[in-house]
Amino acid sequence: MSAPATASGAAPPDLLRAQENAVVQMVTIGPVAEELAVRFADAGHRLYLVGGSVRDALLGREVSDLDFTTDARPEEILAVVDGWTDAIWDAGIAFGTVGARRRGTTVEITTFRADAYDRVSRNPVVRFGDTIEDDLVRRDFTVNAMAVELTGPERRFVDPYGGLAALAAGTLDTPAAPEESFADDPLRMLRAARFVSQLGLTPAERVLVAMTNMAGELARISRERVQAELNKLIIGTHPRRAIELMVDTGLCDQVLPEVPAMRLAIDEHMQHKDVYTHSLVVMEQAIERETDGPDLVLRLAALLHDIGKPDTRRKEPDGRVSFHHHEVVGAKMVRRRLRELKYSKAIVDEVAQLVFLHLRFHGYSGGEWTDSAVRRYVTDAGPLLDRLHKLVRSDCTTRNRRRAAALQRSYDSLEERIARLREQEALESIRPDLDGNEIMRLLGIPPGPQVGKAYKHLLALRMERGPLTHEEAEAELRAWAADNLS
């Protein structure tokens, strides 16, 4: 949406005004924002819809929570919203932010900011600004530095740093020099990768240069904040592009160093550029198999499933490259890295287990697994079985169509075997045919290690032979006890 320039290089004022009006019409202002604007205007203050709320409205994306900025100071904001909100919170009031909820809509209202940063942490020395331009220049990217004034005689679009043109061009740039912006808050570099994933934007050349030169500054940011941005990036629309940006600029060395390390390992099939490229393809193929929206655990497992390969790479006598037990090594590496990034125990366990199990299927090949092996596959996967199915199928990236079709048919066969056994047995809840209480009663022993050993023996039998009758289970238990408890 660019206007033709006059001889002086500026667009005609009438055309610029028409352009601004068109943009304002694109930004739908809901009743909650209308009410808030009236209250601020009546109190003699200016109020602007700002940042991501304006950006997403222009992109036609759903806007649920609203961000505003104002010339009112925090205590004045509280006075304006007093009696209007259904709930209010002021945890961020030291930074000029008041949060509120009105009829299910969450709003954040922040006083104009003109902060300075100490360049050691990412904590600003809070200083309130006097103009909307002061506020917008301190924001992370130009696409987030647009505002719509709601309290004037008529609505006005404010875009001093070219955010609309950048959005139209699909460009990610900073209002100030990127070196200044990233020095103030290094997390903005990771946020750039997040916007590449979420919005499909392409960083400006100067942004790429600054990210590359300043990647090490990300070490100043807490792991919790890094993880939060990484999650948003991974579940975005274009995570591969974002990961490639992180690797190319060196950011990934600060967040997931195991990912760029995979560029050193050649795939054992000698058909992929490297394990890194293969892993990105697997992640994309896993995304195509998602059925209930973005799955963070599946995507992380797909991206990281082969990170054990560099450490297990060996050249065999026949010249081929092998990565024996890389799934075991990789699962340990995943645990270490995700714990370092402060992921929850549940996510760490789930991603690591998927990495550990992702090669198990390849022992199935022509379908020669016993029912016992199928039971173990299902039991070891547990609630992750559906994700494991998707990961294993996605791990096939061979260009050989015949081999790819054979692998898919083989996995079809395994899933059919699982379905048949499910009809006969409760596969997801396999337990021994006798529980701990029955073991103690039949053998006349108290709680202790021997009960656990007997339980494991009966579980192994259950896996191997399927369900036993109660009489068969008792006979097996007594036979085990005769050899182990005498």
Side-chain angles (χ1 to χ4, degrees):
M1 189 181 292
S2 58
T6 63
S8 64
D14 290 346
L15 189 55
L16 282 176
R17 185 60 179 158
Q19 185 183 67
E20 290 178 359
N21 286 338
V23 171
V24 168
Q25 293 304 314
M26 293 172 64
V27 181
T28 302
I29 307 298
V32 169
E34 296 275 13
E35 293 173 17
L36 197 59
V38 170
R39 296 182 74 89
F40 272 83
D42 289 347
H45 298 298
R46 291 182 172 180
L47 184 72
Y48 298 81
L49 185 68
V50 71
S53 298
V54 175
R55 179 202 70 219
D56 287 345
L58 292 174
L59 289 172
R61 291 161 59 95
E62 182 179 353
V63 180
S64 53
D65 299 338
L66 301 175
D67 294 323
F68 299 92
T69 188
T70 178
D71 58 350
R73 295 314 194 235
E75 63 278 4
E76 294 172 322
I77 296 173
L78 287 172
V80 169
V81 301
D82 182 45
W84 173 77
T85 62
D86 300 323
I88 193 167
W89 52 95
D90 58 4
I93 200 164
F95 298 95
T97 298
V98 173
R101 184 178 296 111
R102 171 75 169 174
R103 295 198 303 274
T105 298
T106 300
V107 301
E108 281 198 352
I109 310 161
T110 303
T111 302
F112 292 158
R113 296 270 292 274
D115 301 333
Y117 287 77
D118 60 15
R119 303 289 173 88
V120 176
S121 68
R122 64 179 297 271
N123 297 321
V125 178
V126 177
R127 182 165 65 87
F128 297 135
D130 297 314
T131 69
I132 184 64
E133 290 77 16
D134 286 343
D135 182 88
L136 295 178
V137 74
R138 58 168 285 279
R139 293 179 179 266
D140 52 5
F141 299 105
T142 60
V143 295
N144 295 330
M146 299 179 285
V148 175
E149 184 177 4
L150 306 180
T151 47
E154 56 185 17
R155 290 178 190 146
R156 179 172 68 94
F157 180 57
V158 183
D159 181 24
Y161 305 106
L164 180 63
L167 197 62
T171 300
L172 194 65
D173 205 349
T174 52
E179 291 80 6
E180 290 292 312
S181 182
F182 298 156
D184 283 347
D185 184 358
L187 189 66
R188 289 173 173 173
M189 293 185 286
L190 196 54
R191 197 173 294 140
R194 190 239 293 183
F195 287 131
V196 167
S197 177
Q198 288 182 330
L199 304 177
L201 301 178
T202 300
E205 183 61 30
R206 68 173 191 159
V207 171
L208 289 174
V209 171
M211 290 172 68
T212 302
N213 292 337
M214 302 177 67
E217 293 294 309
L218 200 60
R220 289 163 41 192
I221 306 301
S222 73
R223 296 290 89 181
E224 290 85 354
R225 295 301 304 277
V226 168
Q227 182 221 114
E229 287 296 328
L230 180 63
N231 291 344
K232 294 173 185 177
L233 178 161
I234 292 292
I235 64 173
T237 307
H238 310 284
R240 175 173 180 168
R241 288 182 55 189
I243 294 295
E244 289 174 332
L245 172 64
M246 291 174 61
V247 170
D248 292 344
T249 57
L251 281 179
C252 213
D253 291 324
Q254 305 296 320
V255 181
L256 290 171
E258 296 82 0
V259 171
M262 288 191 289
R263 290 177 298 180
L264 304 177
I266 305 301
D267 184 86
E268 68 267 33
H269 303 303
M270 308 298 284
Q271 293 179 340
H272 300 287
K273 180 180 178 182
D274 51 24
V275 176
Y276 164 67
T277 302
H278 163 76
S279 297
L280 294 176
V281 173
V282 172
M283 181 175 67
E284 289 184 312
Q285 295 185 164
I287 290 170
E288 292 173 359
R289 289 181 164 86
E290 291 175 340
T291 53
D292 297 312
D295 186 335
L296 177 64
V297 168
L298 177 63
R299 294 186 184 197
L300 283 171
L303 177 64
L304 303 177
H305 75 285
D306 275 347
I307 63 171
K309 281 189 170 181
D311 286 356
T312 57
R313 184 176 186 269
R314 299 290 183 272
K315 189 170 183 178
E316 302 297 338
D318 62 1
R320 292 172 64 84
V321 175
S322 68
F323 304 96
H324 295 308
H325 306 301
H326 74 268
E327 75 282 10
V328 178
V329 173
K332 293 178 180 178
M333 294 171 67
V334 163
R335 287 188 179 278
R336 184 165 59 246
R337 178 55 54 198
L338 296 189
R339 284 170 178 162
E340 193 270 339
L341 287 169
K342 308 299 182 183
Y343 277 93
S344 68
K345 183 179 184 302
I347 290 180
V348 172
D349 289 346
E350 289 173 352
V351 177
Q353 185 69 350
L354 286 170
V355 171
F356 178 71
L357 292 175
H358 84 274
L359 277 189
R360 181 80 63 85
F361 158 72
H362 292 282
Y364 185 77
S365 61
E368 64 273 14
W369 274 7
T370 63
D371 284 351
S372 172
V374 176
R375 291 188 193 101
R376 291 185 184 280
Y377 189 78
V378 173
T379 302
D380 289 348
L384 297 172
L385 183 61
D386 184 58
R387 285 177 169 137
L388 184 59
H389 289 333
K390 294 173 182 176
L391 176 59
V392 173
R393 288 185 181 275
S394 301
D395 195 23
C396 176
T397 60
T398 177
R399 295 188 183 94
N400 185 316
R401 291 185 179 181
R402 182 175 297 177
R403 174 175 169 75
L407 285 171
Q408 295 300 334
R409 284 196 303 271
S410 186
Y411 207 86
D412 289 343
S413 171
L414 175 57
E415 289 203 57
E416 289 167 4
R417 293 268 308 274
I418 291 171
R420 285 198 302 271
L421 281 175
R422 271 186 173 143
E423 292 179 0
Q424 304 165 19
E425 310 171 23
L427 287 184
E428 280 75 17
S429 57
I430 288 180
R431 298 289 185 273
D433 297 281
L434 302 175
D435 64 20
N437 289 328
E438 290 176 295
I439 290 170
M440 289 186 287
R441 179 179 60 80
L442 290 168
L443 299 183
I445 59 176
Q450 297 296 346
V451 178
K453 291 177 182 179
Y455 186 93
K456 288 181 180 179
H457 172 70
L458 291 175
L459 179 59
L461 283 176
R462 173 70 174 79
M463 288 288 187
E464 186 64 34
R465 293 165 50 182
L468 304 179
T469 67
H470 196 275
E471 292 74 16
E472 289 173 331
E474 283 192 16
E476 292 290 351
L477 176 63
R478 296 187 189 282
W480 175 86
D483 292 335
N484 291 275
L485 299 185
S486 56

